[in-house]
Amino acid sequence: MARLGQTLRGRLGAEMVKFAAVGVGSTLLSLVLFVAFAHLTTHQWANALALILSTIANTAVNRSFTFGVRGREGAVRVQLQSLLLLAISWGLTALALWALQQIAPDASTWVAAAVFLGGNAVATIVRFWLLRRWFRPGERPASPDHGHAENVLESLPSSAHWERYDDEAAPVDDARS
């Protein structure tokens, strides 16, 4: 059981590392886009345009690289779900930029970019949490307070639960004992 728990924790850790790597690249992309668009339009429009473009790229890369989902099946659904993530990201960054405008209306593009990054950092935490639930539906880590192996097995994700029911690890039928 301990080894199975380590495997689940290891996969979560690997996903977090991959997500972070994709996030760094996506954040750099959105920052470059924000700065470029900020020279052409307002900070709010630059924010929206940068987030739209980087969200599309981020979702596609996280789908395949971070969570290992291949093929076209479900790709449109995931991109539509990413619109929710875009709304959250935009809301957090737009609020941060609005607050900056109220506090320092003449702030430079670089100060606005720093505020944009701060809002993006908060949105990233929400993004990982939601993406993980969408790509791993029904997966729950085992609760450490389970006293019996049967309870631990029932608390595992469905795929891991069924993998444990081979000939060696078949459940014991209490009615036969």
Side-chain angles (χ1 to χ4, degrees):
M1 286 301 141
R3 196 169 80 193
L4 185 57
Q6 289 171 341
T7 301
L8 291 173
R9 282 191 302 274
R11 184 169 69 195
L12 174 61
E15 286 175 351
M16 289 176 78
V17 168
K18 289 178 179 180
F19 184 83
V22 171
V24 167
S26 180
T27 299
L28 289 174
L29 173 64
S30 65
L31 181 61
V32 167
L33 291 170
F34 175 82
V35 170
F37 290 135
H39 290 294
L40 304 173
T41 187
T42 67
H43 289 156
Q44 290 293 359
W45 277 107
N47 176 37
L49 293 169
L51 287 174
I52 289 168
L53 295 173
S54 63
T55 296
I56 292 168
N58 179 289
T59 301
V61 174
N62 270 317
R63 182 176 186 269
S64 62
F65 177 68
T66 305
F67 299 105
V69 178
R70 305 277 189 257
R72 291 184 177 181
E73 184 178 336
V76 172
R77 177 185 50 81
V78 170
Q79 285 293 348
L80 291 174
Q81 288 171 325
S82 76
L83 290 175
L84 172 62
L85 299 175
L86 174 63
I88 292 168
S89 296
W90 176 82
L92 291 168
T93 55
L95 180 62
L97 289 169
W98 177 84
L100 174 65
Q101 179 65 30
Q102 301 311 303
I103 295 167
D106 295 328
S108 72
T109 298
W110 295 110
V111 171
V115 169
F116 171 80
L117 284 175
N120 228 342
V122 174
T124 296
I125 295 166
V126 174
R127 182 177 186 76
F128 180 77
W129 183 77
L130 286 172
L131 282 173
R132 189 152 204 289
R133 271 145 190 78
W134 291 337
F135 290 127
R136 304 259 186 257
E139 184 171 303
R140 306 175 310 223
S143 174
D145 63 345
H146 286 302
H148 301 288
E150 294 84 7
N151 292 337
V152 172
L153 285 173
E154 288 175 6
S155 71
L156 292 175
S158 298
S159 61
H161 182 78
W162 288 111
E163 290 170 13
R164 293 291 301 149
Y165 284 101
D166 53 18
D167 289 335
E168 293 181 78
V172 175
D173 184 0
D174 290 334
R176 290 187 298 172
S177 323

